[in-house]
Structure formats: C-alpha cells, structure tokens
Amino acid sequence: MWPIERLWQAERRAAPPEPRAPEPASLDPLRAAAAREQEHACSVPRGGGWRPGARWAREDQLGKVALPPVTRQPARHEVGRRDEAAMNPFRAMPPDEGANSSPSLSRGGGPSRSDGGGAAAARGGKPPRPSTAFGGPPPRSGEELEPLVTSIRNGNRVEIAAACPAARALGLAPGMALAQARAQIAGLDIRPADPEGDRAHLAGLAIALARRWTPTVAIHGEDTLFLDLTGVAHLHGGEAAMAMRLRRMLARLGYSARIAIADTPGAAWALAHYPPPRHSRSGGNPESERASLGALDPRLRGDDGLLCRKGRQAEAVAPLPIEALRIDAAAVELLHRFGVRRIAQLAAMPRAPLVRRFGAAIATRLEQALGRLPEPLHPVTPPEPIAIVQRFAEPIATAEAIAHWLGTLVPRLTAALAEKGLGASRIELVADRVDGVPQRIRIGLARPSRDGAHLLRLLARRIEQIEPGYGVDALTLHVRRAMPLGPEPFAERLDEEAAPDLATLVDTLATRIGLGAMWRNRPVESDVPERSVASMAVLDPPERAGMRGKIDAVGQLDRNPALHPWHPEWPKPARLLRRPERLDHVVAELPDHAPRRFTWRGQSHRVVRADGPERVHGEWWKRAAEMHHIRDYFRVEDDAGRRYWLFRKGDGERPATGDLSWYLHGVFG
C-alpha cells in the first residue's frame, strides 16, 4: 500500500477543504447572538496589549464557545464563469510587481529486540479502518472510492505496479497486464507509478526513524524497514508499547504498516509479510500452528503487530510458507514439487543434502531466521549538519576582527562542503555575544556554490549589521541548505566564448533587495499578449529542445525552423500593465484608424503618430467565448513624446466581436 497511500496523501493535500457539517439546532440562538455582537466588535488587537472590545477578551461572557469562522465570500472568478467569460474573454496577466519526506512506510522492516539481538520488521499492511481518526484514503463527498492502480512498463508490457484494496477485491493484483485490468473493470483509475519517488520517501522515513526511534534503521526491498531495538525499547515503554506508538505515528501521517518484532531480522520479516493464522487450517499441522500462536506475546496481536517471545522464533515461523524465508522463486517452485511447503518441513531436512541440491542460499536464509547465523544490517546514516565554530579566549568587538575570522572560517566551510560533494545555497552566520543575545546574518545563493571568495564577499557586506555589544565570544557558520554539486559543463572549443555566469551578480543583488524581487520573463506560445509572457527564476536553465519524434510521425515533414513566439515586426512593451486600464473620451475613426485623443488616469493625451492596427483573435480552442472576440492594437505617440500600446475591443464592424471600448495595455520605455 506504500505507493497507493502516497497518492492518497498527495490528493488530500491538494484537495480543497470540505464544508463543515451543519451544527445542532440547539446552538443556533447562541450563534446568532454571537454574530450580532461581532458586528460591533473588534476582532484583533491593535498595537498590542489587552483591549476590552476585542473578541478574545470576552471569552468568559461568551461561555468560551468556539465561534465558526466567517464564511469567505466567493471570489469573482468563482461565480458566473460563463457570464464573466462573455464580458471579458481575455484574462489579465499576473502581477508584474516583483515576480518560491514525509515519512512514509508501506512495508517497513524490523528492529532488533532490546533484550536480545533480534529485529522488528514493519511492513505495509491493510489500510486503517474508515472509522479511525488516523490516516486512510482521502474522503470524497458523494461518491465511493473508485479502484485505483498504478502502472509501470516492463519491457513491451504495461502492467499493474500497485493496487488499492478496492482494486484487489475485484481481482486486480500487481503484475497483471493493464489491458486485462481495463477489460475487466470499467472506469478504473490508473496513475503512473513512481518507483524512484517511493524509494526516496522510504529513505526519508528511515532517516526520520533513525533520528527519533533507534539509531539503526536499514532499508530492505521496496517497502520494508528493519529497526534494531537493542537497548532502545525501554526508552519507549517496552517493545509492545513501542510498536503501538510507531503504528499510531504512521497512521497520523496517513500510512498503514504491519509490524513484527522477533530476535532475528529473518523471523521479523517473515512474521510481518506472512502473519501466522489465528485458527488451525485444513492442510496444515494443527500442533505447529498452536505452538506458533503460543510463541507470540498476547500483548501485541492483530492490527497493532506481532511480538515473538524471546528465543521462540523457530516455533513462530514454523507454520509459515517457505516464501517467508526470502528465497528465489525458482527454488520455491522446486521445493513445492518435492512437497515442501512449510518452514517446519524445510527445517526438519538435513542441511548437507539441501545445500548440495539447492545451494547455500536456502540453508543460509533458514539458519538466519532461526538465529543460528548472523544477518548484518546496513543502516542508513542521517546527514549531519555542517557547522564551523570558532571560539575566542577574549571577546572581539570590531568589524575588522570579525572580517579576519570570517576569512578563516569560510575556507574551513568550503573544505567541509567539498568533502561531502555539496554546494551551499543558504548560509547563516551566528555571532554569540557575551550577554547571550545572538546576532544572525543569513545569505541565500541563487545557485549552489562552494566558492570561498564569493561566499566571503557576501558575508563581508553584511558585517555592519552585527551589533557586538559587550563583545562576541564565538562565531559559527551554519549551512542551512545544501545540494549536491558535481562537475559543470564547459565550452568544447578554446576559441568559443562561454556564456556569462550571472550567479555571482544575482547573489550580490539578492543580499540587498532579496531573491524574491528578481525574476526573468520567458516567452509563451500565445497570441494573447498577457498570456505570451510568464515569469521564471533568474537562473533557471533554458528549456531543452523536445525529443525527436518517430520517423513516421507527420511532424517530421515540416522542415521549417521554429518560429519565435514574439513577432519581430510587431514590437511589444517589455512590461505590460497588471491589467489593461480603460481609456475615456477616445476620439477615433472607425474601423481601422488609431485614436486622435484619449484620457488616461485623468490626463488628456493628443496623438501625433500612430502605427497599426495589429489584430489579435481570441484563442477559440480555450473557451467558446473567445471564438468571435477581436482586439486591434495600436502603437501611438502623444505630443509629449510618450509612447503607449492601446487596443480596441472589436473590429469596428460587427458588434459580436466587441463593444468598441479602448484600453491601455502597456507603456514603451
């Protein structure tokens, strides 16, 4: 359930909040009285301090009843979309003033026991019940959850990678051909699988568990974690209490798990993936099944997990199928031909003939599960934050002294970054004063870097912001954010001029005005002006050319070079207004002449030169209201030498194309 629950969590985060259920009728009079009182009350304090008229100051009079939040009035774009589209088919461009793991576990592995050398395995199990307050699939009002599967390509075959419980109940299982699943079930919800994202989130969960629960956490397979509980279970109230707390924590995050605790990793993995039956089954050994149930601690059974008693892992795994030993499918099939289906049958066989016939892998896995051979774990290593500290015997209080020691700290910082192959994108300097009031300087970089000279320049420009007070007794450089920094491409020819690197300039400007105040425009393929420009990060790489299509594709017949998104013969202003502003008192001759006079923002302008019209049609493939909409753009210059970009709605002949109103859309520099 790990990939499926990750999709559910993404949908829950992206879904809008559901409307609140109607409140009991008994509270209506109280709500009405509170609403009338709120009309004449101030809801927030101003300037700090207690105000008798504030809402939060009268909780005693209101009986401390939580009032419902004020219902937000729907925005204009949420009501009457068709009417709005008919009135104004073109949408305004975005503002131009200054254009920012979850721990997941579907099948986790297991930790060693605190009183032995064992391990506990956590595996993704069935999802939480709908009545529980934790996790589970995202609710959908008015409809049931439709079957959800993820698909992945395996050679020339597209098959199911994961399936939700509803899909499994209908007979769908991982490995089934996607075409067969579509033929069996109509309306199947199919999503592309993301194995790399699943592994990354599982690694993030492993690191989070290593920092909070136990220092030894290992990843096994695609959905299993091993946690070594040796010496840490008593810190969480014992093994049973730790398993229940761990399961509740995962449920709060929206993920289900099956947890098993045993002396060995092999036994924990087997119990997590193949839990023993609670009742005797036909075809099995009733005595072995009763012994297996007796080997489990009754404090932890069922949905919370399985806890094997100390030293009784052999009895616990005896009735389990041989697939629980993590052996190859070919060996499993061959053992089934010989009639060996349970671990108890395999454990009763002599080891020497077993090794000669099947190799050492089966015997090794069996002995590891029974605790006769060690099974080492390869734990994850949580990344340690990089911090360079320099303490002083005597406090320093001058800018020159701070600059001197920064020249010593920055090279040590770049050496630590180079050792880990990282580049810093956010650095914080903390100056600890003798009075206990730290002074902080934060710098951000547009691109990860470990250039010592560049980092030193950025920090030196901010030294004057430090108030030393009675003196600074320690300086610390913290790397708050870092990313892998590998080799960078360079020009192939020595005589070729490389593109200039703007990262240093951007960082210098960002230290003064902030990175959020800088952006870059990129062209978008659209005839509508406000849609033809979009903002992007300053140092985002240019978009790469698309992959070459198939040789028999029709698009291969077009040998013409790609057209520029902005027509060179019809220049446009570099910056458009936030939204077109309407003009008043326009004097113009219809249908194809520019205005002779217009009033904008209360000031009259007389046009002396004009060029146009440039006709722009609505993009009919986006909305039906744009099918007949037309704009005629003109470049005009007034008697003061100022140049404007105007447009008229409609072609001047047919009323369906526009109402002949005039707007100013941009100003030329």
Side-chain angles (χ1 to χ4, degrees):
M1 290 294 297
W2 177 240
I4 300 297
E5 289 171 343
R6 280 192 58 218
L7 291 176
W8 282 341
Q9 292 303 313
E11 290 182 357
R12 179 183 289 119
R13 288 190 294 266
E18 292 188 353
R20 293 193 175 188
E23 299 180 356
S26 58
L27 296 180
D28 290 343
L30 181 59
R31 298 300 186 198
R36 288 193 301 270
E37 187 177 358
Q38 286 296 334
E39 295 178 357
H40 306 285
C42 177
S43 60
V44 293
R46 295 187 179 181
W50 180 82
R51 295 187 61 201
R55 175 176 54 192
W56 47 269
R58 300 192 310 278
E59 292 180 351
D60 296 337
Q61 289 82 350
L62 297 178
K64 295 186 179 181
V65 178
L67 298 178
V70 179
T71 305
R72 182 181 65 87
Q73 294 298 330
R76 185 170 182 266
H77 66 276
E78 296 178 359
V79 180
R81 292 181 178 270
R82 293 187 177 180
D83 299 336
E84 181 195 7
M87 294 184 296
N88 186 11
F90 291 106
R91 294 184 180 178
M93 66 177 296
D96 57 355
E97 291 83 15
N100 172 198
S101 65
S102 69
S104 54
L105 179 93
S106 97
R107 282 159 59 169
S112 301
R113 301 186 61 181
S114 59
D115 54 354
R123 173 190 183 268
K126 60 183 180 180
R129 295 182 294 272
S131 60
T132 183
F134 312 110
R140 300 183 183 180
S141 57
E143 60 177 357
E144 298 293 336
L145 286 175
E146 56 187 4
L148 173 64
V149 299
T150 60
S151 62
I152 191 171
R153 178 174 292 277
N154 187 5
N156 294 330
R157 170 189 171 98
V158 180
E159 57 187 26
I160 297 177
C164 70
R168 291 176 180 268
L170 296 175
L172 305 184
M176 178 184 295
L178 188 61
Q180 180 182 356
R182 284 174 171 168
Q184 291 182 0
I185 301 176
L188 184 63
D189 189 2
I190 303 173
R191 312 287 181 84
D194 184 17
E196 295 183 0
D198 296 339
R199 287 190 291 267
H201 279 70
L202 189 63
L205 175 60
I207 292 175
L209 295 178
R211 288 173 172 169
R212 170 65 177 82
W213 296 84
T214 175
T216 304
V217 180
I219 302 176
H220 181 82
E222 299 293 334
D223 52 7
T224 304
L225 295 179
F226 283 108
L227 287 79
D228 189 354
L229 303 187
T230 305
V232 299
H234 69 282
L235 302 175
H236 303 278
E239 294 173 348
M242 182 176 180
M244 289 186 289
R245 291 180 59 188
L246 183 61
R247 181 178 177 84
R248 287 195 294 267
M249 183 269 293
L250 294 173
R252 284 194 299 270
L253 296 175
Y255 303 107
S256 59
R258 184 181 295 127
I259 301 175
I261 303 177
D263 289 344
T264 63
W269 192 96
L271 292 174
H273 290 75
Y274 298 90
R278 299 185 182 182
H279 305 284
S280 298
R281 300 177 300 188
S282 59
N285 189 346
E287 296 182 0
S288 176
E289 294 178 358
R290 285 194 295 269
S292 175
L293 295 177
L296 300 179
D297 195 319
R299 294 177 299 170
L300 190 66
R301 284 188 181 180
D303 294 339
D304 290 332
L306 298 173
L307 174 59
C308 180
R309 299 180 186 273
K310 183 179 179 181
R312 301 186 64 178
Q313 63 272 8
E315 301 175 15
V317 302
L320 302 184
I322 57 177
E323 291 88 344
L325 293 176
R326 296 172 291 168
I327 57 181
D328 297 336
V332 170
E333 183 180 359
L334 192 56
L335 287 172
H336 285 176
R337 292 181 181 178
F338 291 146
V340 179
R341 298 185 178 275
R342 304 291 171 188
I343 294 180
Q345 298 173 307
L346 188 63
M349 299 175 62
R351 300 298 186 267
L354 188 65
V355 172
R356 286 197 301 268
R357 182 65 181 84
F358 298 98
I362 296 180
T364 301
R365 286 298 188 187
L366 178 61
E367 298 299 328
Q368 287 177 346
L370 300 180
R372 298 166 186 168
L373 284 180
E375 182 177 353
L377 300 178
H378 302 281
V380 297
T381 303
E384 295 293 334
I386 300 177
I388 308 299
V389 184
Q390 179 63 50
R391 302 187 180 277
F392 311 114
E394 295 292 337
I396 61 176
T398 62
E400 292 77 9
I402 296 176
H404 168 75
W405 285 108
L406 281 179
T408 304
L409 293 175
V410 171
R412 292 165 54 187
L413 178 67
T414 56
L417 291 171
E419 182 180 356
K420 295 186 177 182
L422 300 175
S425 58
R426 184 174 298 176
I427 298 177
E428 182 179 17
L429 171 65
V430 180
D432 295 323
R433 298 195 322 192
V434 294
D435 57 357
V437 180
Q439 300 292 305
R440 304 178 186 273
I441 294 178
R442 300 179 178 90
I443 62 171
L445 289 86
R447 181 180 299 167
S449 172
R450 54 172 179 260
D451 185 359
H454 179 52
L455 298 178
L456 184 59
R457 285 194 300 268
L458 296 178
L459 290 170
R461 292 190 180 98
R462 308 281 296 278
I463 292 179
E464 64 274 5
Q465 299 180 5
I466 298 178
E467 298 180 1
Y470 294 103
V472 176
D473 56 4
L475 289 176
T476 308
L477 280 178
H478 297 273
V479 178
R480 297 305 185 188
R481 182 178 298 173
M483 289 184 288
L485 185 62
E488 299 181 358
F490 58 90
E492 299 178 358
R493 296 172 54 91
L494 296 178
D495 58 347
E496 181 179 354
E497 184 177 356
D501 188 8
L502 301 178
T504 56
L505 175 61
V506 171
D507 295 338
T508 304
L509 296 176
T511 56
R512 299 184 179 182
I513 65 175
L515 189 60
M518 297 184 294
W519 74 96
R520 185 174 50 163
N521 288 337
R522 64 179 179 88
V524 179
E525 188 175 359
S526 178
D527 292 333
V528 182
E530 56 264 34
R531 297 175 184 163
S532 63
V533 183
S535 61
M536 60 185 301
V538 181
L539 294 180
D540 273 2
E543 298 181 359
R544 297 183 178 180
M547 297 181 60
R548 187 174 181 180
K550 297 181 179 180
I551 192 172
D552 56 348
V554 178
Q556 298 293 330
L557 301 177
D558 187 8
R559 303 296 182 181
N560 298 324
L563 298 177
H564 196 275
W566 294 333
H567 201 286
E569 297 182 0
W570 295 102
K572 298 175 176 61
R575 296 283 301 279
L576 301 178
L577 297 181
R578 182 175 182 178
R579 59 179 56 87
E581 298 184 10
R582 185 157 184 167
L583 302 178
D584 301 322
H585 310 297
V586 180
V587 178
E589 184 179 354
L590 297 179
D592 297 330
H593 291 273
R596 297 298 181 89
R597 184 183 295 109
F598 63 90
T599 301
W600 176 51
R601 294 182 178 178
Q603 184 178 359
S604 179
H605 299 266
R606 187 172 63 89
V607 177
V608 296
R609 295 180 181 86
D611 188 11
E614 175 192 359
R615 180 155 293 180
V616 175
H617 291 266
E619 296 176 345
W620 53 267
W621 56 91
K622 290 183 177 293
R623 290 185 296 177
E626 299 188 17
M627 184 175 300
H628 303 290
H629 197 86
I630 291 177
R631 288 181 184 177
D632 283 344
Y633 278 87
F634 297 88
R635 288 181 296 151
V636 301
E637 180 180 342
D638 63 1
D639 51 1
R642 293 184 292 264
R643 306 179 68 188
Y644 304 98
W645 202 41
L646 318 174
F647 73 86
R648 181 191 63 218
K649 283 188 175 181
D651 57 3
E653 297 178 353
R654 295 172 297 168
T657 59
D659 57 359
L660 304 181
S661 56
W662 288 85
Y663 294 85
L664 190 144
H665 205 167
V667 179
F668 290 94

